[in-house]
Amino acid sequence: MAIITGGDSGIGRAVAVAFAKEGADVAIVYLSEDNDAQQTRSAVEYYGTRALLIRGDLAEVSFSAQVVNETLAHFGKLDILVNVAGEQHPQADFGAITPQQLERTFRTNIFSMFYLCQSALPYLESGATIINTASITAYQGRPDLIDYSSTKGAITSFTRALSNHLAPKGIRVNGVAPGPIWTPQAAAISPVRRPDEKQALSLREGGNDGI
């Protein structure tokens, strides 16, 4: 049984469907995109597994406990946590990044991983898995995504440290660092129409955290 954040579209939806193909039930956590989330649930159920939709803001501390509690009440167990949710707000001028934007990006992208892992840990047994989504920007940097790149670097370090912390308990913690991912939402909001062209995206999370 897997919890997948940002599971309504993009990378999150692809992960949910991949787990469903392997026979896993999934809890799909999303911000507000109800139609997208319903489509993901239908895609999961197509493969004969169960899906639970959980709507809310991962930047809020209390929501993480709610996610875990609803998942346990519905499925009775938790084996896998996949942290995909994130947001980015491109700024050509570094000085234009406001304190509010900086805090919001960190709250959604890295604080939420702390909160969810802390909430889930008491219910994860030996053999369980945590997967965190970083980004190629953690290593290359993006001049117009400085705050976002910073959170992805933090996620990389968080993953390494948490992996060492939980290894003695038999719980694996891994990370993935995608490059640009061409999702329907990205295509809809970007003037670019080919995935090989430079993208300047402003994504408010629907699982499209792939750059």
Side-chain angles (χ1 to χ4, degrees), residues 1-53:
M1 192 281 123
I3 292 174
I4 303 170
T5 71
D8 55 297
S9 64
I11 294 174
R13 177 182 291 176
V15 171
V17 172
F19 274 103
K21 288 181 178 179
E22 297 298 323
D25 297 322
V26 297
I28 300 161
V29 184
Y30 69 104
L31 179 65
S32 60
E33 300 82 0
D34 296 316
N35 290 336
D36 287 346
Q38 291 290 350
Q39 291 177 24
T40 301
R41 177 159 67 181
S42 296
V44 167
E45 292 175 343
Y46 173 82
Y47 292 98
T49 62
R50 296 176 295 168
L52 171 67
L53 301 184

Side-chain angles (χ1 to χ4, degrees), residues 83-104:
N83 291 302
V84 180
E87 64 180 271
Q88 60 180 240
H89 306 279
Q91 290 284 4
D93 178 8
F94 173 62
I97 299 174
T98 65
Q100 292 77 17
Q101 176 181 320
L102 180 64
E103 180 176 352
R104 180 69 205 185

Side-chain angles (χ1 to χ4, degrees), residues 31 57 59 84-90 100-110 145 147-149 151-152 201-211:
L31 179 65
D57 190 349
V84 180
E87 64 180 271
Q88 60 180 240
H89 306 279
Q100 292 77 17
Q101 176 181 320
L102 180 64
E103 180 176 352
R104 180 69 205 185
T105 303
F106 269 81
R107 280 190 171 278
T108 300
N109 293 8
I110 177 64
L145 292 173
D147 54 340
Y148 175 85
S149 299
T151 65
K152 294 302 179 176
L201 306 179
S202 179
L203 305 181
R204 183 61 184 94
E205 181 52 31
N208 289 296
D209 189 0
I211 189 170

Side-chain angles (χ1 to χ4, degrees), residues 166-188:
L166 295 181
K169 299 181 179 180
I171 299 172
R172 292 180 294 124
V173 184
N174 293 297
V176 295
I181 303 298
W182 194 247
T183 64
Q185 183 179 356

